[in-house]
Amino acid sequence: MFDLIIRRANLPDGRKGIDIAVKDGRIAAVEASIAAEAKEEIDATNRLVSPPFVDPHFHMDATLSLGLPRMNISGTLLEGIALWGELRPIVTKEELVERALRYCDLAVTQGLLFIRSHVDTSDPRLVTAEALLEVKERVKPYIDLQLVAFPQDGYYRTRDSVASLVRALDMGVDIVGGIPHFERTMEEGKASVEALCRIAADRGLPVDMHCDETDDPMSRHIETLAAETIRFGLQGRVAGSHLTSMHSMDNYYVSKLIPLMAEARINVIPNPLINIMLQGRHDTYPKRRGMTRVRELMDAGLNVSFGHDCVMDPWYSMGSGDMLEVGHMAIHVAQMAGIEDKKKIFDALTINSARTLGLKGYGLEKGCNADLVVLQAVDTLEALRLKPNRLAVIKRGKMIARSAPRIGELFLDGRPARIDGGLDYVPTQK
Ligand code: FE2
């Protein structure tokens, strides 16, 4: 007797009508037809069942703070940083915890159960780190939260930044962050990459830097990040977030850079919603898209996963915690509209980002943790197109959220009908 069987599911790899059995919080069988019984069954006929979404790049200390203490008038990255600098000294731990927990609730309903969040360590009070470490413990039963010590104002740019970042790591923050393109000079940016990789190597921690989030083609800190990754033996444990300057770089230079990144096994994290919104701001026309070279990086074998980055904060007034919204934008900005392209984009929201986070037991194979999402879509392509409701969100074999299917009803003369999700057009039975 199994605890749960999901019947007749369509899987992201294209298999259709598959039964998934769960026992003791793990996937016990994935087969065409399982004859055994279970305490609970879910009918997933014509529904996609996926492992949960994984967001590899988020800012949970700033989320849902839109309008505090004022709106971002220019809508630029730099005004966003300045605005966050106004809010940060006056924000309380209680407010941060409350907003983060609210976001986590939203994430669960979207089937988003793994999040890597940056924590701004620039303010020496470190209430941000205190708050998110508390949130990490409180959400543990349903969300795996990784935290990155992120010197938002620059590692060398402010007096207390170096000590604050180290203190945050001592408090239990998991990953070393950085922002080399925001340091005062290229040289200080380069020095910050070296210093931060050394800290990570000494402590046995991963690295995840905001790197080259600019349209300046000469912002080449990713080269240093890859080289230092190799020098310190950190291959596969380092992520370069954003990398938007690669969009504007000279092609010859990129032909040397991408193999270096591949040698360092850099995890690449573009943030399509934010990149398309914030980059190209100094351009008149034509305006650059400002997202890194997703297709070229994937073709070179690099692990590319997409982040949400922001939801209703000083940088971005939109967002919903839905990683399919991120994937939808990625398809457009990267111009990856082919069938195989879209499958790669779906993987980038799930298995690739699980690899970026180093998750264990993630996936749909027998023996994996029974963390599953049932979507109101027949396959990954329809999921990316419709951003459909998450009918059931399952953590370790237990349902932790569910949504009713989205059904449209028509009352047109002579031809009443209902529309289930997207194109599945069902004439009303009389
Ligand atoms: Fe970010």
Side-chain angles (χ1 to χ4, degrees):
M1 173 76 86
F2 293 111
D3 298 326
L4 167 71
I5 296 179
I6 300 178
R7 297 283 187 195
R8 297 170 291 279
N10 295 346
L11 306 187
D13 64 8
R15 282 179 288 166
K16 291 195 184 316
I18 301 295
D19 289 354
I20 304 169
V22 172
K23 179 84 177 163
D24 299 327
R26 289 183 186 277
I27 296 174
V30 182
E31 293 168 19
S33 179
I34 296 172
E37 292 186 354
K39 291 176 201 157
E40 192 189 346
E41 291 205 1
I42 294 176
D43 180 6
T45 306
N46 285 329
R47 306 298 193 201
L48 173 68
V49 175
S50 167
F53 295 101
V54 182
D55 184 356
H57 187 113
F58 196 64
H59 293 265
M60 209 176 275
D61 47 6
T63 195
L64 305 183
S65 68
L66 182 70
L68 298 174
R70 61 180 176 82
M71 293 297 286
N72 182 338
I73 305 300
S74 66
T76 59
L77 171 62
L78 293 180
E79 185 174 345
I81 293 175
L83 187 48
W84 173 240
E86 290 172 35
L87 177 61
R88 199 176 45 206
I90 54 173
V91 78
T92 66
K93 181 183 164 188
E94 290 69 29
E95 288 167 5
L96 288 161
V97 168
E98 189 271 332
R99 283 201 289 268
L101 289 175
R102 222 157 12 104
Y103 182 77
C104 288
D105 287 352
L106 178 66
V108 169
T109 66
Q110 307 280 29
L112 170 55
L113 300 187
F114 302 90
I115 301 174
R116 175 181 284 184
S117 173
H118 294 255
V119 183
D120 185 356
T121 56
S122 302
D123 184 323
R125 292 185 306 149
L126 285 177
V127 284
T128 45
E130 257 182 56
L132 290 196
L133 283 163
E134 181 183 322
V135 170
K136 180 180 168 167
E137 279 309 301
R138 285 174 67 173
V139 302
K140 209 175 235 172
Y142 49 95
I143 285 182
D144 283 32
L145 180 58
Q146 296 185 353
L147 300 176
V148 186
F150 174 46
Q152 170 78 75
D153 292 352
Y155 186 63
Y156 287 130
R157 215 168 147 135
T158 55
R159 205 189 48 188
D160 299 316
S161 192
V162 174
S164 288
L165 181 131
V166 168
R167 208 145 46 83
L169 296 174
D170 288 342
M171 286 164 68
V173 171
D174 314 275
I175 298 160
V176 180
I179 186 164
H181 57 279
F182 195 65
E183 304 294 343
R184 284 199 182 87
T185 63
M186 287 291 178
E187 288 70 28
E188 287 193 353
K190 183 170 187 288
S192 77
V193 173
E194 291 166 0
L196 290 159
C197 284
R198 183 179 296 281
I199 290 172
D202 288 348
R203 290 175 175 246
L205 297 176
V207 174
D208 189 336
M209 286 192 198
H210 284 66
C211 193
D212 303 325
E213 189 184 2
T214 160
D215 294 315
D216 175 7
M218 298 310 291
S219 186
R220 295 176 169 188
H221 298 294
I222 179 58
E223 180 184 77
T224 307
L225 183 59
E228 293 301 308
T229 296
I230 296 165
R231 192 161 72 93
F232 284 109
L234 294 168
Q235 290 95 329
R237 287 163 48 198
V238 173
S241 283
H242 292 294
L243 306 178
T244 52
S245 73
M246 285 184 72
H247 185 95
S248 300
M249 282 175 186
D250 170 73
N251 286 337
Y252 185 84
Y253 174 70
V254 171
S255 74
K256 174 176 175 251
L257 175 63
I258 290 182
L260 175 66
M261 292 167 68
E263 186 188 347
R265 301 206 306 276
I266 298 287
N267 293 292
V268 175
I269 309 177
N271 295 284
L273 295 167
I274 307 307
N275 299 155
I276 196 72
M277 182 66 96
L278 295 182
Q279 300 305 310
R281 288 296 180 114
H282 294 282
D283 294 354
T284 53
Y285 290 94
K287 276 185 189 290
R288 282 167 286 181
R289 285 156 190 265
M291 190 163 79
T292 196
R293 303 186 184 211
V294 171
R295 185 189 297 281
E296 290 78 0
L297 289 159
M298 283 181 169
D299 287 349
L302 281 124
N303 183 47
V304 178
S305 53
F306 296 111
H308 202 318
D309 202 359
C310 303
V311 170
M312 298 187 71
D313 68 10
W315 296 275
Y316 191 59
S317 60
M318 312 275 288
S320 61
D322 183 358
M323 294 308 293
L324 287 170
E325 193 176 320
V326 176
H328 191 268
M329 180 60 82
I331 288 168
H332 289 80
V333 184
Q335 297 181 324
M336 289 180 64
I339 289 175
E340 292 309 313
D341 289 343
K342 287 189 205 157
K343 288 178 182 167
K344 286 181 192 166
I345 298 282
F346 191 89
D347 286 348
L349 307 171
T350 50
I351 52 178
N352 294 8
S353 35
R355 193 169 142 204
T356 302
L357 267 61
L359 300 180
K360 303 268 185 293
Y362 177 93
L364 289 183
E365 291 81 42
K366 184 179 172 182
C368 288
N369 294 322
D371 300 338
L372 302 158
V373 183
V374 183
L375 294 106
Q376 191 191 357
V378 293
D379 57 21
T380 55
L381 307 186
E382 194 175 69
L384 283 161
R385 183 173 66 85
L386 296 176
K387 293 159 271 167
N389 285 2
R390 317 302 126 103
L391 303 176
V393 180
I394 293 157
K395 177 80 175 180
R396 300 293 193 272
K398 293 201 168 46
M399 193 186 306
I400 57 170
R402 92 180 155 196
S403 297
R406 196 162 67 200
I407 306 282
E409 288 190 275
L410 295 174
F411 305 100
L412 302 174
D413 276 356
R415 47 187 188 97
R418 37 190 262 145
I419 297 173
D420 177 348
L423 294 178
D424 193 3
Y425 192 83
V426 186
T428 302
Q429 301 294 318
K430 288 246 171 123

